[in-house]
Amino acid sequence: MPTLILVRHGRSTANTSGVLAGRSPGVALDERGAAQAAALPARLAGLPLSEVVTSPLERCQETVAPLLDARPGLRSHTEERIGECDYGDWTGRKLAELKDEPLMATVQAHPSSAAFPGGESMRAMQTRAAEAVREWNARVEREHGADAVYLMCSHGDIIKSLVADALGLHLDLFQRISVEPCSVTAIRYTPLRPFLVRLGDTGDFASLVPREEPGEGDAPVGGGAGAP
């Protein structure tokens, strides 16, 4: 079965302004995000990618654009099911004000029971994304063989939920997983089980430097902006 390369989009203008972008249109990469995207082709140069699948949102499309430019003929597909979580009424709000919402405690501790007002549940988010991966695994294997490698560019909470699914972790544990902007996560699927072979790899150790975190260990909803 194929190996899936999961790339979180580069840092966006919403990441740096502390806004939960969700599915808001017009959220682009900021200057650092554009540089992260420009560096992606070299980081992935050794991988024989067979297909690229992206979220429909602009920040993901911008992230894979340099890679597609560097590899003429590499096919790109848009997949709605790996689009960002529908945060409903939370969309476009400042994360600093959302931390005091009663629902935030549920999002942090019991995300499997969290449903965003006017939006979707985190359980539904994980289900649709995992179904998309399984269908793409089958398609890629059918068209390119069992040893094929393909890439999906998506969002922080989507990628974290897919990692939890691959590891057999309950969704309530997915907030323990961290994927920074433009990080690379790799899952090798087999008939028996998936293997997580990379997690949140940026090639940069800056994110390991101790820094003050708001919320005493709360996970950033939407994935956060990464290292300063």
Side-chain angles (χ1 to χ4, degrees), residues 4-210:
L4 170 60
I5 307 300
L6 287 163
V7 175
R8 184 182 168 201
H9 62 78
R11 196 175 75 176
S12 73
T13 54
N15 292 146
T16 45
S17 61
V19 170
L20 186 61
R23 298 181 178 181
S24 300
V27 177
L29 300 181
D30 68 5
E31 184 176 354
R32 180 172 177 177
Q36 290 170 333
L40 194 60
R43 291 171 61 198
L44 301 178
L47 290 177
L49 297 175
S50 59
E51 306 279 352
V52 169
V53 184
T54 73
S55 157
L57 292 171
E58 182 178 347
R59 52 196 184 272
C60 289
Q61 303 280 340
E62 289 183 340
T63 298
V64 299
L67 177 65
L68 295 172
D69 288 344
R71 299 198 190 194
L74 180 59
R75 292 189 301 181
S76 177
H77 313 267
T78 298
E79 172 57 75
E80 297 281 346
R81 291 173 295 176
I82 62 167
E84 181 63 286
C85 183
D86 183 356
Y87 296 115
D89 297 345
W90 280 25
T91 302
R93 293 180 61 187
K94 287 278 189 179
L95 289 164
E97 68 183 43
L98 288 171
K99 68 181 177 62
D100 296 324
E101 292 279 353
L103 177 61
M104 183 60 84
T106 304
V107 170
Q108 292 294 328
H110 304 291
S112 66
S113 64
F116 296 98
E120 71 179 330
S121 69
M122 302 198 92
R123 188 173 61 254
M125 173 199 75
Q126 182 187 43
T127 297
R128 63 172 165 84
E131 286 176 349
V133 166
R134 284 164 173 76
E135 289 181 18
W136 276 99
N137 282 348
R139 175 174 172 174
V140 168
E141 181 172 2
R142 186 170 60 250
E143 296 182 6
H144 301 282
D147 295 327
V149 180
Y150 74 107
L151 181 147
M152 281 186 167
C153 184
S154 188
H155 307 268
D157 283 348
I158 295 286
I159 294 173
K160 288 162 56 177
S161 74
L162 289 171
V163 170
D165 175 76
L167 293 176
L169 292 178
H170 197 284
L171 185 61
D172 284 348
L173 301 179
F174 102 129
Q175 298 291 28
R176 302 182 184 194
I177 299 165
S178 175
V179 288
E180 296 216 342
C182 222
S183 62
V184 173
T185 294
I187 302 171
R188 181 172 295 126
Y189 289 87
T190 78
L192 291 180
R193 62 183 62 86
F195 291 91
L196 179 65
V197 293
R198 291 288 188 280
L199 176 61
D201 186 353
T202 63
D204 182 355
F205 294 109
S207 64
L208 302 180
V209 176

